Amino acid sequence: MRLKNRLQGWIQTPPDESSNQEGVRTRPEEPVSASNPSFTDGIATKDIRVDPSTALSVRIFLPESALLPSERPQPKSKAEESSLKSENNGDQGYTPSGQNCRKLPIMLQFHGGGWVSGSNDSVANDSFCQRIAKLCDAIVVAVGYRLAPESKYPAAFEDGLKVLNWLGKQSNNSTGDEPWLVAHADPSRCVLLGVSCGANIADYVARRTVELGKELDPVKVVAQILMYPFFLANEPTQSEIRLANTYFYDKAICLLAWQLFLPKDEFSLEHPAANPLAPNRGPPLKLMPPTLTVVAEHDWMRDQGVAYSEELRKVNVPAPLLDYKDTVHEFATLEMLLKTPQAEACAEDICIWVK
């Protein structure tokens, strides 16, 4: 109810755009997790501002498996870890040796939040990305894209592609300025992972990589994962008819979010940002990368994700579907649900497929 009231308030009195010229990527009322550039529980994290002119940033999750056995830190007591955190202060911590560094695949992750909330450094997203980085043995780069209504469509989509181009530069010793990625990232093995509305961003970025082709070298998107995508269409599905007014993130709240994200003159459930199967949306589906789709039984948008997965399979794109029973939208990424059996199984299933 608080979320619904907030969205309705923004529609009636939009935020002052002139005071947010850079855009915003987080909300003050949402708790965030501090980065820790020294390995704790097997993961080191670091925040980077990608575009100085906007709020676009990333959080890098580097698993300890990227280090050679001789470089891996020895177990420390809690007191030592606490002291190390205070000393590091966000810009020290692990520094690659530059010799025999292990290269890991990259997972470019886009958080959920209905375009208007959530962040790449929220407590829930931080925990989820750490879990994925460990299980997949991959570097997770979580994108802090600009939020609506301060930054409307296509800002979040453009931010996703901008980070992908930035990753390409980081893999080159002469152009990269982020040592973790220069030393450890293999951009030829890049997987896109989108959560809720982040899945819409991931799908857009995947389409653009198809269109751009070798222009993105050395980055190669080899697969994408769409977790309970925020897909809509004019034609109501069975899950929409049955679940529109039940459970959280109901249809009314989602439509409010879309009204805040899309410019007034572009609002439509058939907008390319909302419907991946909208007519005349390119490129052809048969050119899309292998796509894993995760859906939840009690999500009113479930059937739209299922339909997209089916259309990909019809044109011979490897597109498995994971359908979890007794689950709601964001069941594997909400902080309160991260320790449920379904959330843990989902993360493991994703990583089995990715590997």
Side-chain angles (χ1 to χ4, degrees):
M1 287 302 297
R2 286 198 297 270
L3 174 61
K4 192 171 185 178
N5 290 336
R6 190 198 316 167
L7 300 189
Q8 288 173 333
W10 281 340
I11 287 176
Q12 294 167 2
T13 309
D16 183 6
E17 295 182 10
S18 63
S19 64
N20 293 293
Q21 293 181 359
E22 293 184 358
V24 299
R25 62 160 198 85
T26 188
R27 302 292 178 196
E29 66 273 9
E30 297 176 357
V32 298
S33 179
S35 62
N36 177 17
S38 294
F39 293 95
T40 301
D41 295 329
I43 297 289
T45 58
K46 181 191 294 187
D47 294 328
I48 303 292
R49 184 79 169 259
V50 172
D51 184 353
S53 66
T54 71
L56 175 60
S57 69
V58 298
R59 171 163 288 188
I60 302 171
F61 296 80
L62 182 69
E64 196 174 298
S65 57
L67 279 61
L68 298 174
S70 59
E71 295 179 311
R72 295 180 186 178
Q74 298 302 309
K76 295 180 176 61
S77 67
K78 289 187 177 181
E80 288 175 318
E81 285 185 357
S82 177
S83 174
L84 191 59
K85 281 184 183 180
S86 62
E87 289 172 6
N88 282 327
N89 223 8
D91 58 2
Q92 297 177 16
Y94 167 65
T95 301
S97 64
Q99 297 178 345
N100 301 317
C101 288
R102 183 169 176 239
K103 296 286 188 178
L104 297 181
I106 302 171
M107 296 190 72
L108 192 61
Q109 190 260 359
F110 304 96
H111 66 80
W115 309 118
V116 297
S117 62
S119 67
N120 64 332
D121 57 359
S122 70
V123 173
N125 201 66
D126 186 86
S127 298
F128 172 72
C129 289
Q130 290 204 36
R131 174 180 286 177
I132 293 295
K134 286 180 186 177
L135 289 173
C136 289
D137 191 22
I139 300 171
V140 174
V141 178
V143 181
Y145 55 84
R146 290 169 290 169
L147 300 178
E150 291 85 354
S151 300
K152 292 183 177 291
Y153 172 85
F157 288 72
E158 292 174 342
D159 286 350
L161 191 61
K162 185 173 290 186
V163 171
L164 197 69
N165 279 289
W166 176 80
L167 284 177
K169 294 178 181 177
Q170 300 313 309
S171 64
N172 190 316
N173 286 324
S174 62
T175 59
D177 54 14
E178 172 38 56
W180 290 8
L181 296 179
V182 171
H184 296 292
D186 178 1
S188 68
R189 293 183 291 162
C190 181
V191 176
L192 308 178
L193 192 165
V195 176
S196 188
C197 66
N200 298 43
I201 301 174
D203 189 64
Y204 166 83
V205 173
R207 289 172 183 267
R208 291 292 290 133
T209 62
V210 171
E211 293 170 341
L212 292 170
K214 293 186 179 299
E215 290 182 36
L216 287 172
D217 284 351
V219 175
K220 289 183 174 60
V221 172
V222 297
Q224 67 169 340
I225 302 153
L226 309 179
M227 299 182 69
Y228 19 83
F230 214 54
F231 293 159
L232 300 177
N234 279 332
E235 187 68 28
T237 63
Q238 288 300 311
S239 65
E240 180 177 339
I241 294 169
R242 183 166 51 91
L243 299 166
N245 298 314
T246 58
Y247 304 101
F248 91 152
Y249 280 141
D250 61 20
K251 185 175 179 181
I253 285 180
C254 293
L255 290 180
L256 286 173
W258 277 103
Q259 288 178 47
L260 289 164
F261 178 61
L262 294 175
K264 282 186 179 180
D265 57 350
E266 293 186 37
F267 181 78
S268 166
L269 299 187
E270 293 294 328
H271 192 285
N275 184 3
L277 300 176
N280 304 318
R281 185 178 176 187
L285 287 182
K286 65 181 180 181
L287 301 178
M288 292 294 285
T291 300
L292 175 67
T293 304
V294 174
V295 294
E297 181 182 14
H298 300 304
D299 180 2
W300 71 271
M301 292 174 281
R302 172 192 176 278
D303 288 356
Q304 294 291 355
V306 172
Y308 186 44
S309 181
E310 290 175 346
E311 291 301 313
L312 289 171
R313 289 196 294 276
K314 286 179 183 178
V315 292
N316 298 319
V317 173
L321 179 76
L322 295 178
D323 189 354
Y324 293 88
K325 303 300 181 185
D326 300 318
T327 52
V328 296
H329 191 79
E330 290 231 36
F331 74 91
T333 41
L334 280 176
E335 184 182 6
M336 68 183 79
L337 299 175
L338 279 174
K339 293 183 179 179
T340 61
Q342 294 99 323
E344 293 177 345
C346 180
E348 291 172 0
D349 292 342
I350 285 173
C351 291
I352 289 169
W353 183 77
V354 166
K355 287 185 176 181

